Amino acid sequence: MTEIVVLGAGYAGLRTVRELSGTSNVHITLVDRNSYHYEATALHTVAIGTNEAEHITFDIQKAIPKDVTFKQDNVTRIDTQNKTVTLEKEATPLQYDYLVVALGFESEDFGIKGAATYGLPLQDIESAQAIRKHLEERLAAYNDSHDERDLHIIVCGAGFTSIELLGELVYRMPSLVEQYHLPADKIQITCLEAMPKILPMFDQKLVDFAVQFLADHGAIIHTSTPIDEVTDHSVISGDNVYEANTIIWTTGVRGSHVISDSHFDQKRNRVAVTSQLTMKDHPEVFIIGDSSAVPDPASGRFYPTTGQISIAQATHTAKNIKASIDGTPLSDFTYKSLGTVCSLGPTTGIAEIGDSGRIKLKGRKVALVKKMVNDRSIMEESGFANMMRNLS
Ligand code: NAD
């Protein structure tokens, strides 16, 4: 029996076990620290409270094929020499013939002073719920505190996550103002971005639309504003001090700490894999999703990390593992993006879809595209029943 161990039940891990399921003479073990899978691309909606956690999560055990063994445990270390994986609760390490590492991302603070202590990261369900709790508590506190910083929110970084989060925030803010009887003119939503331009992968007209939409709804983006320090009530960039009692830290992500804990050759917990998605010198170890850096043969650079590409890597990995078991050559991973969608709250957004982003969309129709993408992903990963539950 060939033992295949898959670490992480995110988009990549779940897809891998589904594709490998049914292979003869193979036993598959899937490990995740949670009993549930969550839609990482919708975390910002839970953080702002436009969505509940139960709408973007589902039970892993119910979503995986019957021939896959699921272990809910924390992965602590991978030993590629002995082909074992150490878990927190289980005394005996798992032995593998093939290993798929799909452990996802963690928030990156770049070692900026105060960021880890005072910034609220967005990296999983717990941190998303913590942001919502903090935000609502500070707004509710204003009527007693009369501290205007309770009405100020700073979003650090203006990447995809920040912009999508800002979109949800400006959508929900009017109802928060009403709920907590707040002075709307004193609410301040500020986004601080180090680079001179935001969302460089989008056409400038679409970026301008997004920036204008957010500004019209009260969220101001300051570009060329690199954050130097975060304190309990402020964010500092050069000589400028921005004050707020809610500081959301979304300046980018790194791979899983298990990668560095296992002493792999890595950069920001990402391993540069071969074009077959394997670890150099370890053709039996596949690293996919946000903990990997995958070379794009066309550009010579690494592919960007997205949920969409993680799923494509998982399908390719399953194909390569089957090829390896059969003794046939592994194939190189290539990828063509189906498009990029950036929501600005539940009712609008910007998108580039089709070949090389040929179709450019902005406004309400993007919300429909985004919903179709999300529902398709939920349907594929969890089955039709879960999709119906999420739609209801
Ligand atoms: P990101 O790296 O894309 O963006 C982080 C932003 O923070 C960057 O613009 C960076 O310049 C800025 N930043 C970093 N350090 C800073 C500092 N000290 N001061 C000010 N600004 C600073 O990270 P993300 O938005 O978390 O996204 C992570 C990954 O997930 C990306 O690959 C992204 O494409 C993907 N993602 C995709 C979608 C989507 O397709 N809709 C949604 C969310 C995330």
Side-chain angles (χ1 to χ4, degrees), residues 351-373:
E352 288 191 10
I353 48 183
D355 256 354
S356 319
R358 198 168 39 87
I359 305 166
K360 302 190 195 314
L361 299 173
K362 59 181 190 297
R364 297 187 79 84
K365 42 195 172 297
V366 176
L368 193 67
V369 175
K370 179 90 178 172
K371 180 139 184 62
M372 275 158 52
V373 172

PDB file of all heavy atoms in Angstrom, residues 351-373:
ATOM      1  N   ALA A 351     -13.089  43.738 -12.242  1.00  0.00           N
ATOM      2  CA  ALA A 351     -12.667  42.406 -12.687  1.00  0.00           C
ATOM      3  C   ALA A 351     -12.029  42.473 -14.064  1.00  0.00           C
ATOM      4  O   ALA A 351     -12.389  43.320 -14.887  1.00  0.00           O
ATOM      5  CB  ALA A 351     -13.870  41.464 -12.721  1.00  0.00           C
ATOM      6  N   GLU A 352     -11.058  41.577 -14.272  1.00  0.00           N
ATOM      7  CA  GLU A 352     -10.503  41.365 -15.614  1.00  0.00           C
ATOM      8  C   GLU A 352     -10.606  39.887 -15.872  1.00  0.00           C
ATOM      9  O   GLU A 352     -10.015  39.088 -15.131  1.00  0.00           O
ATOM     10  CB  GLU A 352      -9.044  41.834 -15.671  1.00  0.00           C
ATOM     11  CG  GLU A 352      -8.924  43.338 -15.638  1.00  0.00           C
ATOM     12  CD  GLU A 352      -7.508  43.833 -15.952  1.00  0.00           C
ATOM     13  OE1 GLU A 352      -6.662  43.030 -16.375  1.00  0.00           O
ATOM     14  OE2 GLU A 352      -7.281  45.025 -15.750  1.00  0.00           O
ATOM     15  N   ILE A 353     -11.366  39.494 -16.869  1.00  0.00           N
ATOM     16  CA  ILE A 353     -11.524  38.069 -17.127  1.00  0.00           C
ATOM     17  C   ILE A 353     -11.246  37.728 -18.597  1.00  0.00           C
ATOM     18  O   ILE A 353     -11.139  38.622 -19.427  1.00  0.00           O
ATOM     19  CB  ILE A 353     -12.916  37.546 -16.684  1.00  0.00           C
ATOM     20  CG1 ILE A 353     -14.040  38.454 -17.182  1.00  0.00           C
ATOM     21  CG2 ILE A 353     -13.025  37.426 -15.192  1.00  0.00           C
ATOM     22  CD1 ILE A 353     -15.411  38.024 -16.714  1.00  0.00           C
ATOM     23  N   GLY A 354     -11.123  36.435 -18.848  1.00  0.00           N
ATOM     24  CA  GLY A 354     -10.837  35.982 -20.216  1.00  0.00           C
ATOM     25  C   GLY A 354      -9.345  36.041 -20.496  1.00  0.00           C
ATOM     26  O   GLY A 354      -8.545  36.341 -19.609  1.00  0.00           O
ATOM     27  N   ASP A 355      -9.001  35.754 -21.753  1.00  0.00           N
ATOM     28  CA  ASP A 355      -7.596  35.716 -22.181  1.00  0.00           C
ATOM     29  C   ASP A 355      -6.879  37.029 -21.904  1.00  0.00           C
ATOM     30  O   ASP A 355      -7.296  38.073 -22.384  1.00  0.00           O
ATOM     31  CB  ASP A 355      -7.547  35.435 -23.691  1.00  0.00           C
ATOM     32  CG  ASP A 355      -7.156  34.004 -23.956  1.00  0.00           C
ATOM     33  OD1 ASP A 355      -6.819  33.319 -22.981  1.00  0.00           O
ATOM     34  OD2 ASP A 355      -7.218  33.601 -25.140  1.00  0.00           O
ATOM     35  N   SER A 356      -5.808  36.976 -21.131  1.00  0.00           N
ATOM     36  CA  SER A 356      -5.011  38.154 -20.758  1.00  0.00           C
ATOM     37  C   SER A 356      -5.883  39.306 -20.235  1.00  0.00           C
ATOM     38  O   SER A 356      -5.636  40.471 -20.539  1.00  0.00           O
ATOM     39  CB  SER A 356      -4.166  38.665 -21.931  1.00  0.00           C
ATOM     40  OG  SER A 356      -3.605  37.610 -22.630  1.00  0.00           O
ATOM     41  N   GLY A 357      -6.929  38.980 -19.504  1.00  0.00           N
ATOM     42  CA  GLY A 357      -7.789  40.008 -18.902  1.00  0.00           C
ATOM     43  C   GLY A 357      -8.504  40.850 -19.941  1.00  0.00           C
ATOM     44  O   GLY A 357      -8.732  42.039 -19.766  1.00  0.00           O
ATOM     45  N   ARG A 358      -8.860  40.206 -21.076  1.00  0.00           N
ATOM     46  CA  ARG A 358      -9.461  40.895 -22.222  1.00  0.00           C
ATOM     47  C   ARG A 358     -10.749  41.636 -21.841  1.00  0.00           C
ATOM     48  O   ARG A 358     -10.994  42.741 -22.279  1.00  0.00           O
ATOM     49  CB  ARG A 358      -9.749  39.827 -23.298  1.00  0.00           C
ATOM     50  CG  ARG A 358      -9.978  40.304 -24.685  1.00  0.00           C
ATOM     51  CD  ARG A 358      -9.946  39.105 -25.643  1.00  0.00           C
ATOM     52  NE  ARG A 358     -10.583  37.908 -25.084  1.00  0.00           N
ATOM     53  CZ  ARG A 358     -11.880  37.637 -25.176  1.00  0.00           C
ATOM     54  NH1 ARG A 358     -12.690  38.465 -25.767  1.00  0.00           N
ATOM     55  NH2 ARG A 358     -12.363  36.524 -24.669  1.00  0.00           N
ATOM     56  N   ILE A 359     -11.565  40.987 -20.980  1.00  0.00           N
ATOM     57  CA  ILE A 359     -12.848  41.605 -20.620  1.00  0.00           C
ATOM     58  C   ILE A 359     -12.677  42.350 -19.300  1.00  0.00           C
ATOM     59  O   ILE A 359     -12.310  41.754 -18.284  1.00  0.00           O
ATOM     60  CB  ILE A 359     -13.954  40.533 -20.489  1.00  0.00           C
ATOM     61  CG1 ILE A 359     -14.021  39.717 -21.774  1.00  0.00           C
ATOM     62  CG2 ILE A 359     -15.297  41.160 -20.155  1.00  0.00           C
ATOM     63  CD1 ILE A 359     -14.814  38.443 -21.661  1.00  0.00           C
ATOM     64  N   LYS A 360     -12.896  43.649 -19.363  1.00  0.00           N
ATOM     65  CA  LYS A 360     -12.728  44.472 -18.160  1.00  0.00           C
ATOM     66  C   LYS A 360     -14.104  44.892 -17.658  1.00  0.00           C
ATOM     67  O   LYS A 360     -14.905  45.418 -18.427  1.00  0.00           O
ATOM     68  CB  LYS A 360     -11.864  45.689 -18.467  1.00  0.00           C
ATOM     69  CG  LYS A 360     -10.494  45.247 -18.998  1.00  0.00           C
ATOM     70  CD  LYS A 360      -9.511  46.346 -19.102  1.00  0.00           C
ATOM     71  CE  LYS A 360      -8.307  45.947 -19.966  1.00  0.00           C
ATOM     72  NZ  LYS A 360      -7.724  44.626 -19.707  1.00  0.00           N
ATOM     73  N   LEU A 361     -14.350  44.631 -16.386  1.00  0.00           N
ATOM     74  CA  LEU A 361     -15.671  44.912 -15.815  1.00  0.00           C
ATOM     75  C   LEU A 361     -15.543  45.762 -14.570  1.00  0.00           C
ATOM     76  O   LEU A 361     -14.586  45.612 -13.802  1.00  0.00           O
ATOM     77  CB  LEU A 361     -16.365  43.602 -15.413  1.00  0.00           C
ATOM     78  CG  LEU A 361     -16.665  42.565 -16.483  1.00  0.00           C
ATOM     79  CD1 LEU A 361     -17.198  41.298 -15.831  1.00  0.00           C
ATOM     80  CD2 LEU A 361     -17.670  43.105 -17.484  1.00  0.00           C
ATOM     81  N   LYS A 362     -16.523  46.628 -14.365  1.00  0.00           N
ATOM     82  CA  LYS A 362     -16.596  47.355 -13.100  1.00  0.00           C
ATOM     83  C   LYS A 362     -18.071  47.556 -12.753  1.00  0.00           C
ATOM     84  O   LYS A 362     -18.934  47.513 -13.639  1.00  0.00           O
ATOM     85  CB  LYS A 362     -15.852  48.686 -13.164  1.00  0.00           C
ATOM     86  CG  LYS A 362     -16.324  49.667 -14.207  1.00  0.00           C
ATOM     87  CD  LYS A 362     -15.448  50.918 -14.125  1.00  0.00           C
ATOM     88  CE  LYS A 362     -15.960  52.066 -14.939  1.00  0.00           C
ATOM     89  NZ  LYS A 362     -16.046  51.923 -16.355  1.00  0.00           N
ATOM     90  N   GLY A 363     -18.342  47.711 -11.458  1.00  0.00           N
ATOM     91  CA  GLY A 363     -19.721  47.966 -11.042  1.00  0.00           C
ATOM     92  C   GLY A 363     -20.448  46.715 -10.591  1.00  0.00           C
ATOM     93  O   GLY A 363     -19.832  45.707 -10.245  1.00  0.00           O
ATOM     94  N   ARG A 364     -21.793  46.769 -10.673  1.00  0.00           N
ATOM     95  CA  ARG A 364     -22.628  45.747 -10.055  1.00  0.00           C
ATOM     96  C   ARG A 364     -22.455  44.357 -10.668  1.00  0.00           C
ATOM     97  O   ARG A 364     -22.568  43.350  -9.976  1.00  0.00           O
ATOM     98  CB  ARG A 364     -24.105  46.165 -10.151  1.00  0.00           C
ATOM     99  CG  ARG A 364     -24.424  47.428  -9.396  1.00  0.00           C
ATOM    100  CD  ARG A 364     -25.915  47.694  -9.383  1.00  0.00           C
ATOM    101  NE  ARG A 364     -26.599  46.871  -8.390  1.00  0.00           N
ATOM    102  CZ  ARG A 364     -26.695  47.203  -7.099  1.00  0.00           C
ATOM    103  NH1 ARG A 364     -26.159  48.307  -6.655  1.00  0.00           N
ATOM    104  NH2 ARG A 364     -27.325  46.423  -6.268  1.00  0.00           N
ATOM    105  N   LYS A 365     -22.165  44.281 -11.999  1.00  0.00           N
ATOM    106  CA  LYS A 365     -22.062  42.954 -12.620  1.00  0.00           C
ATOM    107  C   LYS A 365     -20.896  42.145 -12.036  1.00  0.00           C
ATOM    108  O   LYS A 365     -20.920  40.923 -12.044  1.00  0.00           O
ATOM    109  CB  LYS A 365     -21.979  43.026 -14.141  1.00  0.00           C
ATOM    110  CG  LYS A 365     -21.091  44.108 -14.704  1.00  0.00           C
ATOM    111  CD  LYS A 365     -21.386  44.293 -16.187  1.00  0.00           C
ATOM    112  CE  LYS A 365     -20.696  45.475 -16.816  1.00  0.00           C
ATOM    113  NZ  LYS A 365     -21.070  46.780 -16.298  1.00  0.00           N
ATOM    114  N   VAL A 366     -19.903  42.854 -11.485  1.00  0.00           N
ATOM    115  CA  VAL A 366     -18.751  42.158 -10.885  1.00  0.00           C
ATOM    116  C   VAL A 366     -19.205  41.365  -9.649  1.00  0.00           C
ATOM    117  O   VAL A 366     -18.704  40.273  -9.388  1.00  0.00           O
ATOM    118  CB  VAL A 366     -17.627  43.148 -10.517  1.00  0.00           C
ATOM    119  CG1 VAL A 366     -16.487  42.447  -9.807  1.00  0.00           C
ATOM    120  CG2 VAL A 366     -17.114  43.846 -11.775  1.00  0.00           C
ATOM    121  N   ALA A 367     -20.189  41.916  -8.919  1.00  0.00           N
ATOM    122  CA  ALA A 367     -20.680  41.217  -7.726  1.00  0.00           C
ATOM    123  C   ALA A 367     -21.251  39.861  -8.121  1.00  0.00           C
ATOM    124  O   ALA A 367     -21.063  38.858  -7.428  1.00  0.00           O
ATOM    125  CB  ALA A 367     -21.745  42.066  -7.032  1.00  0.00           C
ATOM    126  N   LEU A 368     -21.912  39.816  -9.280  1.00  0.00           N
ATOM    127  CA  LEU A 368     -22.492  38.568  -9.772  1.00  0.00           C
ATOM    128  C   LEU A 368     -21.374  37.584 -10.143  1.00  0.00           C
ATOM    129  O   LEU A 368     -21.427  36.400  -9.797  1.00  0.00           O
ATOM    130  CB  LEU A 368     -23.357  38.893 -10.994  1.00  0.00           C
ATOM    131  CG  LEU A 368     -24.285  37.787 -11.447  1.00  0.00           C
ATOM    132  CD1 LEU A 368     -25.366  37.551 -10.401  1.00  0.00           C
ATOM    133  CD2 LEU A 368     -24.917  38.156 -12.783  1.00  0.00           C
ATOM    134  N   VAL A 369     -20.342  38.091 -10.836  1.00  0.00           N
ATOM    135  CA  VAL A 369     -19.205  37.240 -11.227  1.00  0.00           C
ATOM    136  C   VAL A 369     -18.560  36.658  -9.965  1.00  0.00           C
ATOM    137  O   VAL A 369     -18.285  35.466  -9.869  1.00  0.00           O
ATOM    138  CB  VAL A 369     -18.155  38.047 -12.031  1.00  0.00           C
ATOM    139  CG1 VAL A 369     -16.917  37.201 -12.321  1.00  0.00           C
ATOM    140  CG2 VAL A 369     -18.749  38.577 -13.322  1.00  0.00           C
ATOM    141  N   LYS A 370     -18.358  37.500  -8.963  1.00  0.00           N
ATOM    142  CA  LYS A 370     -17.707  37.079  -7.722  1.00  0.00           C
ATOM    143  C   LYS A 370     -18.535  35.978  -7.038  1.00  0.00           C
ATOM    144  O   LYS A 370     -18.003  34.987  -6.566  1.00  0.00           O
ATOM    145  CB  LYS A 370     -17.564  38.293  -6.799  1.00  0.00           C
ATOM    146  CG  LYS A 370     -16.932  38.004  -5.466  1.00  0.00           C
ATOM    147  CD  LYS A 370     -15.432  38.151  -5.506  1.00  0.00           C
ATOM    148  CE  LYS A 370     -14.813  37.911  -4.144  1.00  0.00           C
ATOM    149  NZ  LYS A 370     -13.373  37.872  -4.202  1.00  0.00           N
ATOM    150  N   LYS A 371     -19.830  36.159  -7.021  1.00  0.00           N
ATOM    151  CA  LYS A 371     -20.703  35.174  -6.378  1.00  0.00           C
ATOM    152  C   LYS A 371     -20.627  33.845  -7.127  1.00  0.00           C
ATOM    153  O   LYS A 371     -20.555  32.785  -6.517  1.00  0.00           O
ATOM    154  CB  LYS A 371     -22.142  35.708  -6.336  1.00  0.00           C
ATOM    155  CG  LYS A 371     -23.123  34.777  -5.689  1.00  0.00           C
ATOM    156  CD  LYS A 371     -24.117  35.477  -4.786  1.00  0.00           C
ATOM    157  CE  LYS A 371     -25.030  34.495  -4.071  1.00  0.00           C
ATOM    158  NZ  LYS A 371     -24.356  33.580  -3.187  1.00  0.00           N
ATOM    159  N   MET A 372     -20.582  33.929  -8.463  1.00  0.00           N
ATOM    160  CA  MET A 372     -20.494  32.699  -9.246  1.00  0.00           C
ATOM    161  C   MET A 372     -19.186  31.983  -8.965  1.00  0.00           C
ATOM    162  O   MET A 372     -19.147  30.770  -8.818  1.00  0.00           O
ATOM    163  CB  MET A 372     -20.604  33.034 -10.735  1.00  0.00           C
ATOM    164  CG  MET A 372     -22.048  33.134 -11.204  1.00  0.00           C
ATOM    165  SD  MET A 372     -22.236  34.111 -12.715  1.00  0.00           S
ATOM    166  CE  MET A 372     -21.073  33.385 -13.798  1.00  0.00           C
ATOM    167  N   VAL A 373     -18.087  32.748  -8.840  1.00  0.00           N
ATOM    168  CA  VAL A 373     -16.769  32.151  -8.569  1.00  0.00           C
ATOM    169  C   VAL A 373     -16.805  31.474  -7.201  1.00  0.00           C
ATOM    170  O   VAL A 373     -16.396  30.329  -7.035  1.00  0.00           O
ATOM    171  CB  VAL A 373     -15.660  33.228  -8.615  1.00  0.00           C
ATOM    172  CG1 VAL A 373     -14.334  32.663  -8.154  1.00  0.00           C
ATOM    173  CG2 VAL A 373     -15.532  33.809 -10.007  1.00  0.00           C
TER     174      VAL A 373
END
